[in-house]
Amino acid sequence: MTNRSSRPWYLAPYYIWIALFVIAPIALVVYFSFLDLAGDFTLENYANFFSSTYFRMTLSSFWYAFLITLISVLIAYPTAYWLTKTKHKQLWLLLIIIPSWINLLLKAYAFIGIFGLYGPANQLIQFFGSGPLQILFTDFSFIFVAVYIFIPFMVLPIFNSLDKINPALIDASRDLGASQWTTFRRVIFPLAINGVKSGVQAVFIPALSLFVITRLIAGNKVITLGTAIEQQFLVTQNWGMGSTIAVFLILFMIIIMLLTGPKEKGGALNGKAK
């Protein structure tokens, strides 16, 4: 047997990685959040964050993240459920995941061409007798592209949870006289809720900090926490305020992870004996 006292040495690379690329960057962000433009210690950045401007921006970020997550769930859940019933489900799942391998910037520029005044979307609208519409640089285009990008990250955890459900539980529910809706509400959805929570984490948290899509697709008409951080660091050169927004963004992410963290309950999904 391996001596337990030697085990921490195996974990040394992991601890070094965490210290250098997780703890140290967060510590630097917290440090800069207490500095003003002159490099002096101040609490003004935190006071400014609670002003009406940043409060509205935070609410706007949460609203768009909520819409993106909600639409992703409404599309991903039935899609994942359908995948579990197909014969070649792994192949279909792979086809859904493949677009996530494409660079985000390339996908954003592709949608700029699709939603442009002379793009395929407007050509289709003109085919039905309507004039060209300003689709690009709107809330619709921003939410549409964001949902398209995040859909694979919502489908995958929900699919995994649904696929692990023991079919005998569903059959037992129907044998006891439960309708399809009752079976879904009382059996399928509760057993797959951890997959939904994981999908919410994978979509809601990144949606809070989007800035590439807001720049290219929304044309700065949508301001999120990620956009504000980029502007503070790269435009106004106010690293202190940018770091303060980043600190609150990290806190929001931690709170969301705690609220949506999986809570294991008794019972086996696959009918395995304990």
Side-chain angles (χ1 to χ4, degrees):
M1 297 179 61
T2 305
N3 188 357
R4 290 187 177 182
S5 61
S6 64
R7 288 183 181 180
W9 292 104
Y10 295 112
L11 299 176
Y14 167 77
Y15 289 131
I16 294 174
W17 179 274
I18 293 296
L20 291 178
F21 299 104
V22 178
I23 298 176
I26 293 177
L28 284 174
V29 168
V30 174
Y31 169 75
F32 280 111
S33 69
F34 290 103
L35 302 180
D36 58 15
L37 287 172
D40 299 324
F41 177 83
T42 182
L43 294 176
E44 186 178 356
N45 295 326
Y46 286 88
N48 290 336
F49 184 83
F50 291 100
S51 65
S52 60
T53 300
Y54 288 102
F55 181 73
R56 288 195 301 268
M57 178 197 64
T58 302
L59 289 181
S60 175
S61 297
F62 272 88
W63 172 245
Y64 282 113
F66 170 77
L67 287 179
I68 293 168
T69 304
L70 178 62
I71 297 173
S72 296
V73 170
L74 293 178
I75 297 175
Y77 203 105
T79 302
Y81 185 80
W82 173 77
L83 287 176
T84 61
K85 305 300 180 183
T86 58
K87 183 177 181 181
H88 304 289
K89 53 187 175 183
Q90 298 298 335
L91 174 61
W92 287 106
L93 184 64
L94 178 63
L95 293 177
I96 293 175
I97 295 175
I98 282 177
S100 66
W101 299 352
I102 302 174
N103 183 271
L104 175 61
L105 195 60
L106 293 178
K107 288 188 283 190
Y109 276 111
F111 275 105
I112 290 176
I114 293 173
F115 288 149
L117 288 176
Y118 304 101
N122 263 309
Q123 290 180 3
L124 180 63
I125 293 174
Q126 291 178 359
F127 176 79
F128 288 102
S130 179
L133 301 177
Q134 180 61 47
I135 304 175
L136 201 60
F137 308 137
T138 61
D139 289 354
F140 167 79
S141 62
F142 169 69
I143 294 174
F144 184 94
V145 175
V147 169
Y148 167 80
I149 290 171
F150 288 127
I151 275 291
F153 304 103
M154 183 67 76
V155 171
L156 185 58
I158 296 177
F159 169 83
N160 289 334
S161 293
L162 290 172
D163 200 42
K164 292 178 181 177
I165 297 177
N166 186 358
L169 298 175
I170 300 175
D171 294 337
S173 174
R174 292 174 179 171
D175 290 342
L176 293 172
S179 63
Q180 290 186 351
W181 169 247
T182 302
T183 300
F184 171 79
R185 183 170 56 89
R186 302 295 296 273
V187 179
I188 297 175
F189 187 77
L191 291 177
I193 190 63
N194 283 341
V196 177
K197 290 180 178 180
S198 298
V200 169
Q201 287 183 3
V203 173
F204 191 92
I205 292 176
L208 275 178
S209 56
L210 286 173
F211 69 92
V212 173
I213 298 177
T214 56
R215 287 287 193 187
L216 298 178
I217 303 299
N220 286 335
K221 292 184 178 180
V222 175
I223 303 298
T224 64
L225 292 172
T227 308
I229 293 173
E230 181 205 19
Q231 289 178 344
Q232 293 294 337
F233 274 99
L234 301 181
V235 180
T236 64
Q237 297 291 310
N238 190 346
W239 287 29
M241 194 63 224
S243 298
T244 302
I245 301 172
V247 168
F248 280 99
L249 181 59
I250 293 171
L251 292 176
F252 294 148
M253 291 178 178
I254 293 174
I255 293 172
I256 294 167
M257 291 180 68
L258 292 176
L259 293 176
T260 59
K263 297 178 178 61
E264 296 296 338
K265 297 181 179 180
L269 296 182
N270 293 305
K272 296 179 181 178
K274 292 186 177 181

